[in-house]
PDB file of all heavy atoms in Angstrom:
ATOM      1  N   GLU A  34       2.961  11.207   8.584  1.00 98.00           N
ATOM      2  CA  GLU A  34       4.365  10.827   8.642  1.00 98.00           C
ATOM      3  C   GLU A  34       5.259  12.044   8.812  1.00 98.00           C
ATOM      4  O   GLU A  34       4.914  13.151   8.381  1.00 98.00           O
ATOM      5  CB  GLU A  34       4.799  10.066   7.374  1.00 98.00           C
ATOM      6  CG  GLU A  34       4.008   8.819   7.044  1.00 98.00           C
ATOM      7  CD  GLU A  34       2.894   9.074   6.056  1.00 98.00           C
ATOM      8  OE1 GLU A  34       2.438  10.228   5.955  1.00 98.00           O
ATOM      9  OE2 GLU A  34       2.477   8.121   5.362  1.00 98.00           O
ATOM     10  N   SER A  35       6.419  11.807   9.395  1.00 98.00           N
ATOM     11  CA  SER A  35       7.436  12.847   9.510  1.00 98.00           C
ATOM     12  C   SER A  35       8.798  12.179   9.615  1.00 98.00           C
ATOM     13  O   SER A  35       8.893  10.963   9.837  1.00 98.00           O
ATOM     14  CB  SER A  35       7.181  13.729  10.736  1.00 98.00           C
ATOM     15  OG  SER A  35       7.203  12.950  11.916  1.00 98.00           O
ATOM     16  N   GLY A  36       9.851  12.985   9.446  1.00 98.00           N
ATOM     17  CA  GLY A  36      11.193  12.480   9.637  1.00 98.00           C
ATOM     18  C   GLY A  36      11.981  12.199   8.375  1.00 98.00           C
ATOM     19  O   GLY A  36      13.146  11.804   8.449  1.00 98.00           O
ATOM     20  N   GLY A  37      11.373  12.403   7.227  1.00 97.00           N
ATOM     21  CA  GLY A  37      12.093  12.145   5.980  1.00 97.00           C
ATOM     22  C   GLY A  37      13.152  13.206   5.695  1.00 97.00           C
ATOM     23  O   GLY A  37      13.285  14.188   6.426  1.00 97.00           O
ATOM     24  N   GLY A  38      13.904  12.977   4.622  1.00 98.00           N
ATOM     25  CA  GLY A  38      14.915  13.954   4.239  1.00 98.00           C
ATOM     26  C   GLY A  38      16.016  13.330   3.428  1.00 98.00           C
ATOM     27  O   GLY A  38      15.925  12.186   2.974  1.00 98.00           O
ATOM     28  N   LEU A  39      17.095  14.108   3.262  1.00 98.00           N
ATOM     29  CA  LEU A  39      18.269  13.671   2.512  1.00 98.00           C
ATOM     30  C   LEU A  39      19.300  13.124   3.490  1.00 98.00           C
ATOM     31  O   LEU A  39      19.627  13.783   4.496  1.00 98.00           O
ATOM     32  CB  LEU A  39      18.850  14.856   1.739  1.00 98.00           C
ATOM     33  CG  LEU A  39      20.185  14.642   1.026  1.00 98.00           C
ATOM     34  CD1 LEU A  39      20.053  13.585  -0.069  1.00 98.00           C
ATOM     35  CD2 LEU A  39      20.686  15.969   0.438  1.00 98.00           C
ATOM     36  N   VAL A  40      19.812  11.934   3.202  1.00 98.00           N
ATOM     37  CA  VAL A  40      20.791  11.310   4.090  1.00 98.00           C
ATOM     38  C   VAL A  40      21.852  10.616   3.237  1.00 98.00           C
ATOM     39  O   VAL A  40      21.558  10.142   2.134  1.00 98.00           O
ATOM     40  CB  VAL A  40      20.101  10.317   5.047  1.00 98.00           C
ATOM     41  CG1 VAL A  40      19.409   9.200   4.289  1.00 98.00           C
ATOM     42  CG2 VAL A  40      21.058   9.774   6.090  1.00 98.00           C
ATOM     43  N   GLN A  41      23.066  10.576   3.750  1.00 98.00           N
ATOM     44  CA  GLN A  41      24.149   9.926   3.016  1.00 98.00           C
ATOM     45  C   GLN A  41      24.067   8.412   3.136  1.00 98.00           C
ATOM     46  O   GLN A  41      23.564   7.881   4.145  1.00 98.00           O
ATOM     47  CB  GLN A  41      25.489  10.409   3.559  1.00 98.00           C
ATOM     48  CG  GLN A  41      25.790  11.875   3.297  1.00 98.00           C
ATOM     49  CD  GLN A  41      27.123  12.296   3.884  1.00 98.00           C
ATOM     50  OE1 GLN A  41      27.552  11.785   4.920  1.00 98.00           O
ATOM     51  NE2 GLN A  41      27.777  13.239   3.218  1.00 98.00           N
ATOM     52  N   PRO A  42      24.566   7.697   2.148  1.00 98.00           N
ATOM     53  CA  PRO A  42      24.605   6.230   2.242  1.00 98.00           C
ATOM     54  C   PRO A  42      25.344   5.783   3.498  1.00 98.00           C
ATOM     55  O   PRO A  42      26.362   6.376   3.885  1.00 98.00           O
ATOM     56  CB  PRO A  42      25.370   5.817   0.978  1.00 98.00           C
ATOM     57  CG  PRO A  42      25.132   6.928   0.021  1.00 98.00           C
ATOM     58  CD  PRO A  42      25.086   8.180   0.845  1.00 98.00           C
ATOM     59  N   GLY A  43      24.791   4.756   4.147  1.00 98.00           N
ATOM     60  CA  GLY A  43      25.391   4.224   5.359  1.00 98.00           C
ATOM     61  C   GLY A  43      24.892   4.875   6.641  1.00 98.00           C
ATOM     62  O   GLY A  43      25.139   4.344   7.731  1.00 98.00           O
ATOM     63  N   ARG A  44      24.221   6.018   6.504  1.00 98.00           N
ATOM     64  CA  ARG A  44      23.716   6.714   7.675  1.00 98.00           C
ATOM     65  C   ARG A  44      22.316   6.239   8.047  1.00 98.00           C
ATOM     66  O   ARG A  44      21.760   5.333   7.400  1.00 98.00           O
ATOM     67  CB  ARG A  44      23.718   8.231   7.432  1.00 98.00           C
ATOM     68  CG  ARG A  44      25.060   8.784   7.029  1.00 98.00           C
ATOM     69  CD  ARG A  44      26.062   8.671   8.134  1.00 98.00           C
ATOM     70  NE  ARG A  44      25.786   9.584   9.234  1.00 98.00           N
ATOM     71  CZ  ARG A  44      26.590  10.578   9.580  1.00 98.00           C
ATOM     72  NH1 ARG A  44      27.690  10.816   8.888  1.00 98.00           N
ATOM     73  NH2 ARG A  44      26.293  11.340  10.603  1.00 98.00           N
TER      74      ARG A  44
END
Side-chain angles (χ1 to χ4, degrees):
Chain A
E34 303 95 336
S35 60
L39 173 64
V40 61
Q41 293 179 327
R44 305 294 289 245

